[in-house]
Amino acid sequence: MNRKALPFLTASSAALLLAACAVGPKAPDAALPPQASGAFIGSQSASVSTEAARADWWRLYNDAALDGLIQQALTENNELEAAAANLRAVRASLSEARAGRLPSTNLNTSGQYGRASAATTADGNNGQPFENSETYSGGLDMAYEIDLFGRVGSTIRAARADADAAREALEVIRISVVAETARAYADTCSANAQIAVAERTIDLQSKTVDLTQRLLDGGSGNGLDVARARAALESTRASLPPLRAQRDGALYRLATLTGRTPAEASEAARGCQSPPQLSQPIPVGDGATLLARRPDVRQAEARLAAAAARVNVATASLYPTISLGGSLGTTALDSNDLGKDSSFRFSVGPLISWNFPNIAVARARIKQADAQTDAALATFDQTVLTALQETETALSAYANELDRRTALRTARDQAATAARLSRLRFDAGADSFLTVLDSERTLAGADAALAASEAQVTTYQIALFKALAGGWDQAPDPEA
């Protein structure tokens, strides 16, 4: 070995040992508040349990049609497909960043034919004209950046964090698609149930109209009772078109979520007559497992890591860039001489570049990266608080709607009893027809309110499942 090369090789080895070093501040801690790890405030309700939340929460409904629709949405939804494609693009960027660890290479060949100008030489070639000449060359150039100040490593960390954030963004959309598919299915079923209630009420009120008309025709009734009965009937009929529009809108929304056109909407959903029901308390876990499971929290944490790594990238621009380069090739005046020992050439050595005039620009970029890190940290903190707020709100809304539904069931039962008794008293001549009409109107309102509450209970259940981030780990991670 050439002893003159030892100092250079020693310096290069030392540089390689320091390649993992990075300049700039450490990443800020994405710490969770201690209060976030305990039980939920709303977990005291009998409608939920503190068991670990289920990822496949929709299977708690034991509804085969719902299971099939969600599976179809997970494989056919276009938003999910776009998010998966975006993840592949970001991961390709990560591969590009990792390539910075590898030497860059350049393979080149050239051939030239020409003549030099006598005016460009000191002796003018002794007054003799230059002859035409040929030059041929081929070679391989290589350069490797010695990552002494961590620019390449920090760039890779930022790209890896970007890929993590894109993966979590995909999970956020997956959760939303699962929840919205279940909601659209439940809304379709609930609208059908409300339509059925309205149709039963119309049937009852139609019989009342017939009765008052017969009494009028027989001479024992009056036109006022007939008009009142018909007004109540038409009022109920007027509630049907909005319910049908609501049903169709939910059905078409479901078709879009599952990657279908409205004409291909699910027949199972179209024929569903009642919203899916749970037969057990909802398992919700606790705050710590929630925050570990929520992909929006994980996404915010990944973005914070990416922002912090970019501070290191910006800081590294204050320091020199050190590269080790080499060239190997052959150059000859005749193409037949290429590859011969006499035409062989090589060179090797370090390249140090340092942009002193751009220090102000580098410091401005550092300030920009610092500010973006502060914003990412604030976003992470806010995301944690929002996750807890959404879950507690969903728990409260669900528990209170259950109480409301219980009260509405009692009210409906009492209204049905009152309607039956008022009809009996009217038939016996003890009450006026106005009492019958009023009791039937009350019963119709109680039936409609109970059907709406049944729909709202299912809506709040799904909102709670969505807040708990159920479904986030159901589909395999593409290219994981």
Side-chain angles (χ1 to χ4, degrees):
M1 177 181 291
N2 188 344
R3 293 183 180 275
K4 293 183 178 180
L6 284 176
F8 168 71
L9 293 177
T10 303
S12 300
S13 300
L16 290 172
L17 290 174
L18 292 173
C21 298
V23 293
K26 293 183 178 180
D29 291 332
L32 300 176
Q35 299 84 353
S37 60
F40 297 116
I41 299 171
S43 63
Q44 304 303 317
S45 171
S47 61
V48 301
S49 72
T50 56
E51 295 180 8
R54 285 184 57 166
D56 57 344
W57 55 266
W58 57 89
R59 293 194 172 93
L60 294 173
Y61 289 109
N62 294 317
D63 190 320
L66 176 61
D67 293 346
L69 287 167
I70 287 180
Q71 186 59 43
Q72 185 177 343
L74 286 172
T75 56
E76 302 292 338
N77 183 268
N78 292 306
E79 287 187 83
L80 274 175
E81 185 177 348
N86 181 65
L87 176 57
R88 292 195 298 271
V90 175
R91 282 179 168 164
S93 298
L94 172 59
S95 298
E96 180 182 359
R98 284 173 173 163
R101 293 287 195 193
L102 304 175
S104 61
T105 58
N106 179 36
L107 183 64
N108 58 81
T109 59
S110 65
Q112 295 180 341
Y113 175 77
R115 181 176 64 186
S117 170
T120 60
T121 61
D123 58 3
N125 200 30
N126 295 320
Q128 299 298 319
F130 282 95
E131 295 183 356
N132 296 343
S133 63
E134 300 176 2
T135 303
Y136 299 92
S137 178
L140 174 67
D141 298 330
M142 299 182 64
Y144 175 75
E145 180 178 346
I146 300 173
D147 195 22
L148 183 61
F149 301 104
R151 186 193 67 82
V152 175
S154 296
T155 300
I156 293 173
R157 286 196 300 275
R160 184 182 297 115
D162 285 339
D164 291 342
R167 184 186 66 244
E168 301 305 334
L170 172 61
E171 303 305 338
V172 169
I173 294 176
R174 180 173 289 129
I175 287 174
S176 179
V177 167
V178 169
E180 292 307 314
T181 300
R183 194 196 308 274
Y185 174 76
D187 287 349
T188 303
C189 299
S190 297
N192 281 333
Q194 291 173 281
I195 289 171
V197 168
E199 289 175 341
R200 288 196 301 269
T201 301
I202 288 172
D203 183 63
L204 174 63
Q205 291 175 335
S206 295
K207 293 177 181 177
T208 300
V209 169
D210 291 342
L211 173 62
T212 57
Q213 187 64 52
R214 288 198 305 271
L215 291 174
L216 178 61
D217 294 343
S220 59
N222 60 74
L224 179 59
D225 289 344
V226 174
R228 285 172 172 167
R230 288 190 181 280
L233 173 61
E234 296 306 320
S235 178
T236 304
R237 280 178 174 163
S239 68
L240 278 177
L243 290 174
R244 287 169 179 157
Q246 178 181 329
R247 187 264 319 276
D248 291 344
L251 194 61
Y252 301 152
R253 190 168 76 249
L254 178 61
T256 301
L257 286 162
T258 54
R260 298 291 185 268
T261 65
E264 301 171 297
S266 168
E267 290 300 324
R270 190 188 299 275
C272 177
Q273 294 299 313
S274 62
Q277 301 290 327
L278 291 177
S279 59
Q280 65 183 78
I282 296 177
V284 298
D286 57 23
T289 56
L290 168 74
L291 297 177
R293 189 172 58 248
R294 291 252 318 198
D296 54 343
V297 174
R298 297 155 67 96
Q299 181 186 25
E301 185 177 12
R303 286 176 173 170
L304 174 59
R310 289 190 171 93
V311 174
N312 298 132
V313 174
T315 304
S317 63
L318 292 173
Y319 298 90
T321 299
I322 303 175
S323 297
L324 178 63
S327 177
L328 178 68
T330 176
T331 302
L333 298 178
D334 190 308
S335 59
N336 294 325
D337 293 334
L338 289 176
K340 293 182 178 180
D341 291 343
S342 59
S343 67
F344 176 73
R345 59 176 173 79
F346 79 93
S347 65
V348 63
L351 172 65
I352 301 176
S353 61
W354 199 348
N355 296 321
F356 285 101
N358 292 331
I359 293 294
V361 174
R363 293 194 181 280
R365 288 174 179 169
I366 292 172
K367 290 181 179 179
Q368 179 184 6
D370 279 333
Q372 290 173 342
T373 302
D374 292 340
L377 179 58
T379 299
F380 172 80
D381 292 339
Q382 183 64 24
T383 303
V384 169
L385 295 177
T386 299
L388 295 171
Q389 173 255 315
E390 287 178 353
T391 305
E392 294 288 7
T393 299
L395 282 167
S396 177
Y398 176 49
N400 283 286
E401 188 61 35
L402 287 176
D403 292 342
R404 179 173 177 266
R405 184 181 66 177
T406 299
L408 286 172
R409 281 177 176 170
T410 302
R412 190 276 313 273
D413 292 343
Q414 293 300 313
T417 300
R420 179 177 57 83
L421 292 176
S422 65
R423 177 59 64 91
L424 292 174
R425 289 175 62 82
F426 173 74
D427 292 342
D431 275 334
S432 68
F433 179 73
L434 183 60
T435 303
V436 175
L437 194 61
D438 182 65
S439 62
E440 289 183 351
R441 186 184 297 111
T442 301
L443 175 59
D447 276 335
L450 179 58
S453 181
E454 294 280 6
Q456 198 64 31
V457 164
T458 305
T459 296
Y460 285 147
Q461 286 172 353
I462 295 171
L464 177 56
F465 285 128
K466 183 178 181 181
L468 293 170
W472 75 281
D473 60 353
Q474 286 307 294
D477 183 7
E479 301 182 12

